[in-house]
Amino acid sequence: MEENFNPVAQTRANYYTPSSPVQFVCVELLKGDVSGEHAVCLTFKNISRVTLTALEIHFKCKGVDGVILCEDKFEYRDLQVKPGELFGQDDAVFITAKAITSVDVTLCNVYNGKRVVHLDGIKRVRLPAPRRLAPELQKALEARMNRTGLKYQPQVFENGWYCACGAFHPTEEDTVYCSECGCDRILLQNALNTLLQPAAPADEMEMPLNAPAAPAAPAAVEEPTRIVGAAPAAPAAPVEEPTRVVGAPVYEPKADPIQPVSEPTRVLDASARAPLSGAAAADEGTRVIPARRPAPVRQPAPVEEDEEYEDNRDSVAEALIRWVPPITAILCAAIALCGFVYYQFVL
């Protein structure tokens, strides 16, 4: 006689196995409607890019007092699990009449046809607990995303990210879409950021017509972080300066001291043109003639003034010129006299 088992409790896994193509998702406790026995069902997800055909696990179930009720291995055979699909939730790994408080699962081997990946030697990583949203914020987020069960705050970690439904997606899965609730992580984070922004007060929203409008600073919208492969950090892009409207630059020509500065053209009437030439006086009307250019005036070169200072070396040189010749003559005469006396009387 078949018996129906109804779900009693469900708990998500608080750890995961790095570099594994299979992710342990949750453990579900069912209760039979006739016998009252408890059945333990485990749910897994294929986070690889290939189809999985088999999985071997090791589980351990504990009771209320911490005593191990069952410790055994279980094999999932004849599977055809495609990437992103869940499996195992319909197979009971253990049935008991006693209450179960915790289940520990270790991934051993996973198969893709004849290929096998050994996972029992990989150390598991414990996940941080998800943060629960406030009831009001939860209702607002569910209404904005048009989904239910969004109880937690989306979080991004080094080894993966949490969805608002509580599902953890490791980096090996390489996706921004939740396979359980269907939410887009980017849209989910943007919706939550919008809800967390404080609303402007009513008195600030009403502005009098006669008051000048002050330029409002753009609000900094936090862009959610995307999970991408390791890449060299790009330098920060320079802030683009707004276009400024300026007038044409005015250049003032500098007067050349050598070249003559031309005077503007002068307009002379008939009376002023009469002394210039007889033929010009006969013409009627006003003519425009160029003004006489004055002779170029060259500016004198600047004369560098020597600094006036008193040099004491002039008096010394004058004394040397005066006394050196007679002193030299006297010394020469004395040397000659000494030589003469030496050769006459000594030798």
Side-chain angles (χ1 to χ4, degrees), residues 27-165:
V27 54
E28 190 174 10
L29 189 63
L30 307 178
K31 186 176 183 181
D33 54 1
V34 177
S35 63
E37 293 181 335
H38 298 278
V40 179
C41 293
L42 307 176
T43 302
F44 302 90
K45 181 172 59 173
N46 181 6
I47 61 175
S48 67
R49 300 181 182 274
V50 297
T51 301
L52 303 181
T53 57
L55 174 65
E56 297 176 0
I57 65 168
H58 179 274
F59 70 94
K60 185 188 301 183
C61 298
K62 294 183 180 180
V64 179
D65 52 358
V67 179
I68 299 176
L69 301 178
C70 178
E71 183 176 359
D72 198 2
K73 288 186 177 181
F74 191 86
E75 298 179 358
Y76 296 89
R77 296 295 181 182
D78 300 328
L79 301 177
Q80 290 295 327
V81 183
K82 297 180 180 180
E85 291 184 351
L86 302 175
F87 66 97
Q89 63 272 20
D90 297 332
D91 298 329
V93 299
F94 178 60
I95 298 178
T96 179
K98 297 182 180 180
I100 299 175
T101 57
S102 64
V103 178
D104 183 77
V105 178
T106 302
L107 303 178
C108 298
N109 300 312
V110 58
Y111 296 85
N112 172 27
K114 295 182 179 181
R115 299 180 59 183
V116 58
V117 180
H118 303 284
L119 304 173
D120 48 0
I122 301 177
K123 185 178 180 181
R124 297 177 300 179
V125 177
R126 181 169 295 275
L127 300 174
R131 300 177 183 177
R132 192 68 180 263
L133 293 175
E136 298 80 5
L137 188 59
Q138 175 184 342
K139 294 180 181 179
L141 183 60
E142 291 177 347
R144 181 175 289 270
M145 298 300 297
N146 195 20
R147 286 179 175 83
T148 58
L150 306 182
K151 305 176 183 179
Y152 305 97
Q153 178 180 353
Q155 301 179 66
V156 179
F157 304 98
E158 182 180 0
N159 51 10
W161 60 281
Y162 266 123
C163 181
C165 66

Side-chain angles (χ1 to χ4, degrees), residues 4-347:
N4 294 326
F5 285 83
N6 301 318
V8 177
Q10 183 180 14
T11 304
R12 292 189 174 273
N14 58 354
Y15 55 87
Y16 88 106
T17 304
S19 305
S20 171
V22 177
Q23 168 70 15
F24 175 39
V25 177
C26 66
V27 54
E28 190 174 10
L29 189 63
L30 307 178
K31 186 176 183 181
D33 54 1
V34 177
S35 63
E37 293 181 335
H38 298 278
V40 179
C41 293
L42 307 176
T43 302
F44 302 90
K45 181 172 59 173
N46 181 6
I47 61 175
S48 67
R49 300 181 182 274
V50 297
T51 301
L52 303 181
T53 57
L55 174 65
E56 297 176 0
I57 65 168
H58 179 274
F59 70 94
K60 185 188 301 183
C61 298
K62 294 183 180 180
V64 179
D65 52 358
V67 179
I68 299 176
L69 301 178
C70 178
E71 183 176 359
D72 198 2
K73 288 186 177 181
F74 191 86
E75 298 179 358
Y76 296 89
R77 296 295 181 182
D78 300 328
L79 301 177
Q80 290 295 327
V81 183
K82 297 180 180 180
E85 291 184 351
L86 302 175
F87 66 97
Q89 63 272 20
D90 297 332
D91 298 329
V93 299
F94 178 60
I95 298 178
T96 179
K98 297 182 180 180
I100 299 175
T101 57
S102 64
V103 178
D104 183 77
V105 178
T106 302
L107 303 178
C108 298
N109 300 312
V110 58
Y111 296 85
N112 172 27
K114 295 182 179 181
R115 299 180 59 183
V116 58
V117 180
H118 303 284
L119 304 173
D120 48 0
I122 301 177
K123 185 178 180 181
R124 297 177 300 179
V125 177
R126 181 169 295 275
L127 300 174
R131 300 177 183 177
R132 192 68 180 263
L133 293 175
E136 298 80 5
L137 188 59
Q138 175 184 342
K139 294 180 181 179
L141 183 60
E142 291 177 347
R144 181 175 289 270
M145 298 300 297
N146 195 20
R147 286 179 175 83
T148 58
L150 306 182
K151 305 176 183 179
Y152 305 97
Q153 178 180 353
Q155 301 179 66
V156 179
F157 304 98
E158 182 180 0
N159 51 10
W161 60 281
Y162 266 123
C163 181
C165 66
F168 178 76
H169 301 273
T171 54
E172 291 80 6
E173 190 172 1
D174 192 18
T175 180
V176 295
Y177 297 98
C178 179
S179 57
E180 299 188 29
C181 66
C183 287
D184 185 338
R185 182 178 63 87
I186 307 300
L187 299 179
L188 184 64
Q189 188 67 52
N190 290 339
L192 184 61
N193 291 340
T194 303
L195 295 175
L196 291 177
Q197 290 180 359
D203 53 352
E204 294 182 3
M205 296 179 62
E206 297 179 359
M207 182 179 295
L209 297 178
N210 55 358
V221 181
E222 181 181 3
E223 182 180 358
T225 307
R226 294 182 178 270
I227 302 177
V228 295
V239 180
E240 184 179 2
E241 184 180 359
T243 305
R244 296 181 298 173
V245 180
V246 297
V250 179
Y251 298 96
E252 297 181 358
K254 297 183 178 180
D256 190 356
I258 304 302
Q259 298 295 333
V261 180
S262 59
E263 296 183 359
T265 304
R266 295 181 302 173
V267 180
L268 303 180
D269 54 5
S271 59
R273 297 195 314 268
L276 297 178
S277 61
D283 297 336
E284 295 182 357
T286 304
R287 292 192 307 167
V288 178
I289 60 174
R292 295 182 179 179
R293 294 185 179 181
V297 179
R298 295 182 178 271
Q299 296 182 357
V303 180
E304 297 182 359
E305 298 181 359
D306 296 334
E307 297 182 358
E308 296 181 358
Y309 59 94
E310 183 178 359
D311 194 353
N312 296 327
R313 292 179 297 177
D314 296 343
S315 58
V316 175
E318 184 178 357
L320 291 176
I321 294 173
R322 178 180 301 178
W323 295 105
V324 165
I327 293 176
T328 303
I330 295 174
L331 290 177
C332 293
I335 292 172
L337 180 63
C338 292
F340 177 76
V341 172
Y342 178 77
Y343 284 103
Q344 291 293 330
F345 298 98
V346 176
L347 297 180

